Amino acid sequence: MIQLFDTNLNPYNTQLKRRFPDKCLRAPKNSPYMVKWLIMHTIDDTRKLAQLLLKDKKIDRDGFALIVYRLSESEKSKTNVKGSGNKSPGHRNGDGKAITFIAEQKVRMSGKKDKIITDEDILKSLSSQFKIPYKKLDPLDLDIDIVTRTIPKPYALKHMILPLYEKGGELFVAIIDPESQDTIDGLAHVTGKKIRPALATPDDIMRIVHEFFGFKTSVINAEKEMHGQEIDLGNLEQLNQIKRPDEIGSNDQHIKNAVEYLFNYAFKLRASDIHIEPKRETSIVRFRIDGSLNDVYTIPKGVYQAIASRIKMLARLNIAEKRRPQDGRIKIEHGDGTAEIRLSTMPTAFGEKLVLRVLKAEFLLRDMESLGFFPEDQIKMEKFLNCPHGIVLVTGPTGSGKTTTLYSALGFLSHPEKNIISIEDPIETICDSFNQVAVQPAIGLTFAASLRTILRQDPDIIMIGEIRDSETAENAIQAALTGHLVLSTLHTNDTTSTITRLLDLGVEPYQINSAVIGIVAQRLVKMICPDCIRTISIEKEKLAVFGVTTDKNSVEIKEGSGCEKCRFTGYFGRTSVYEVLEINSEIRTMIHKNKTSMEIRKYALKSGMTTLRDSAVRKMLNGVTTMAEVLRIGYEL
């Protein structure tokens, strides 16, 4: 016989005794009566939470009845399990099980047939009832040191509490139970700070606890093991002090864990690039998300070299070589599929800077409809691609989405009857539907040399990653003139200046007239977040700058107000804006007469060509992007 509230019986007995002080019973340790009593009282939290959602009109009576029924079924199954006296018998809001249980029932929200209530909806309802703000946790807004040094990981998981940041002598924390005053008081006593709670979902808290504590623990353990083994790279003179590969510790389990945390974190935040930058005392990790760089981690100086070596080893690079730039590739499997990472290293004043480009096939190989073409421009583009021979050029600065357009075009053209070969430096992502050649200048395999060989491989379609010199330009033109469809890129600002660039590379006007069938210029603009999109009014005088005329005093456009999904930026994802120039007979005549690019552009505009800026303005008026993005595009042009 034991006392019901013996702390050895159940981890929640202390809280039960506080809530039910009059229930001091004695019963056999595994007594069905005792187990049933515990269940009947601990499931009160779930039923109470369901009643609150019903009162708040988040669910209707049918949804409430469904939750209560499934709760009773859960109760029956637990009372029938032998030896369950030592296990958590019910669903408590304090550990998130009540919230999770209700969310798992997939109950429809009241008045919204297509909307299932989620843990976020439940927390927002609790927020309004208890006057505690709800916060969607964004890892980029959190300080890893504050999160990991304030409380230990077991305490954070047991009480489902997460320190967020300090401000004005106050500690802001995330909790899931608005009635967890004992936990808040205890934390205030330990830290000596006033606690400001906010509600967050159990999944968010557990995810950040595991990621932050996992990464921090790996880095700390690695730093301890490597203590006294660091190389001081505080100045350029010491860059040639290279450790042997077996001294770096890149095979250490803590380093492996830290790198895996880094990759998983990047995938979760939709990062397109990972920057690891060595500084004088520490190293900084930054992610590029939707075109903007964000600081993520600070790595101790002693651990940076091991992490860099581990990443270089995964990319099959020479980890002992730190004086010369290197390029490599890593293929990673993760929860959402596979991703290819392109690694570039470069020696800087304080060590090697690593940049990892995250590439996913589903982002590069897209349907033509999803790229951002307007219908009339998409018709022109598909007309270019359906030509049996000729050259199609895609232009724009670095990072403007040219590669995505080219890969999507190859996907559009891919067919068993076609022999498609690409020449790339480096290969962006491996695609089984066409043959890919990686340029290797060190052994003489340049774009021009590869192209000469490819012409003997019976190709139908050739993709050249970039036309960089006159020899490549000449060979590309010759390939187009000899019955092949050629796709390639150039770095120019717009479509008509591409003609001038080809002339500068030594291509004759008659060759341009005979080979080039179309030119596409493009830029990337950020898209408005669909979850926080709102309507604003803009005076017609401001729109006149973009060439928009109207009889109204103002025009309604869209912008993002900022929400949890977009990390309060107002943007989520990017799309392309295009300028498509078809080389028709009139333009060929103008090229033959050595007309300037401005004269050609004036004719193209009269013929109905949509400029990059006009395309961006049109997307703004359609509610896809914002005025700020249109201004940015206009500034670049």
Side-chain angles (χ1 to χ4, degrees), residues 55-70:
K55 179 182 177 182
D56 201 27
K57 297 182 179 180
K58 295 294 183 182
I59 60 175
D60 54 24
R61 292 189 177 276
D62 291 339
F64 176 77
L66 178 63
I67 293 172
V68 172
Y69 169 74
R70 290 181 177 171

Side-chain angles (χ1 to χ4, degrees), residues 541-606:
E541 290 79 9
K542 293 183 178 180
L543 291 176
V545 177
F546 305 116
V548 178
T549 58
T550 178
D551 295 332
K552 300 178 181 179
N553 293 327
S554 62
V555 174
E556 291 186 345
I557 62 173
K558 305 292 184 180
E559 71 172 11
S561 59
C563 66
E564 295 90 353
K565 180 178 180 179
C566 63
R567 301 175 10 261
F568 298 95
T569 62
Y571 299 105
F572 190 84
R574 291 187 291 176
T575 188
S576 297
V577 292
Y578 291 97
E579 177 180 298
V580 182
L581 175 65
E582 182 179 3
I583 308 298
N584 56 27
S585 57
E586 183 62 31
I587 291 179
R588 288 191 174 93
T589 301
M590 297 179 75
I591 294 172
H592 180 71
K593 293 181 178 180
N594 292 321
K595 297 292 184 179
T596 65
S597 61
M598 290 302 298
E599 291 175 308
I600 297 174
R601 187 170 187 80
K602 287 180 181 179
Y603 167 78
L605 292 175
K606 288 181 181 179

Side-chain angles (χ1 to χ4, degrees), residues 27 74 87 126 129 169-170 202 219 226 240 268 310 314 359 412 449 455 471 498 557 563:
S74 175
K87 297 181 181 179
L126 288 172
Q129 291 287 329
E170 297 178 331
V219 171
M226 299 179 63
N240 58 357
K268 191 166 295 182
R310 173 63 183 170
L314 291 174
L359 303 163
F412 175 82
L455 291 176
E471 185 180 7
T498 303
I557 62 173
C563 66

Side-chain angles (χ1 to χ4, degrees), residues 29-155:
K29 186 173 183 179
N30 293 324
S31 165
Y33 169 79
M34 180 196 68
V35 175
K36 185 172 183 179
W37 187 93
L38 285 170
I39 292 173
M40 288 300 294
H41 287 281
T42 53
I43 64 175
D44 281 347
D45 278 342
T46 307
R47 186 176 284 110
K48 178 182 176 182
L49 183 56
Q51 289 172 341
L52 186 148
L53 295 173
L54 178 63
K55 179 182 177 182
D56 201 27
K57 297 182 179 180
K58 295 294 183 182
I59 60 175
D60 54 24
R61 292 189 177 276
D62 291 339
F64 176 77
L66 178 63
I67 293 172
V68 172
Y69 169 74
R70 290 181 177 171
L71 190 60
S72 64
E73 291 297 307
S74 175
E75 172 193 345
K76 292 177 183 178
S77 64
K78 285 184 172 63
T79 54
N80 292 330
V81 176
K82 293 183 178 181
S84 62
N86 288 324
K87 297 181 181 179
S88 174
H91 306 292
R92 299 174 54 257
N93 192 32
D95 56 10
K97 291 183 179 179
I99 296 172
T100 303
F101 178 83
I102 293 178
E104 287 176 348
Q105 307 315 308
K106 300 188 182 301
V107 176
R108 297 187 185 279
M109 293 189 69
S110 179
K112 300 179 181 179
K113 294 182 179 180
D114 298 330
K115 180 73 167 65
I116 302 297
I117 193 166
T118 64
D119 51 1
E120 287 190 21
D121 299 317
I122 297 171
L123 265 298
K124 288 177 181 178
S125 181
L126 288 172
S127 173
S128 63
Q129 291 287 329
F130 288 88
K131 308 302 180 185
I132 299 176
Y134 168 77
K135 183 175 180 61
K136 177 66 175 177
L137 300 183
D138 180 6
L140 294 180
D141 292 338
L142 305 182
D143 186 335
I144 189 171
D145 290 328
I146 296 293
V147 173
T148 55
R149 79 183 180 201
T150 307
I151 57 175
K153 181 179 179 180
Y155 185 90

Side-chain angles (χ1 to χ4, degrees), residues 59 71 105 176 258 287 303 375 397-398 408 477 487 533-534 600 610:
I59 60 175
L71 190 60
Q105 307 315 308
I176 64 169
F287 290 168
V303 179
T398 301
S408 300
I477 293 292
L487 311 179
I533 189 170
R534 66 179 181 183
I600 297 174
T610 302

Side-chain angles (χ1 to χ4, degrees), residues 65 180 360 429 496 554:
S180 57
K360 292 187 177 182
T429 189
T496 52
S554 62

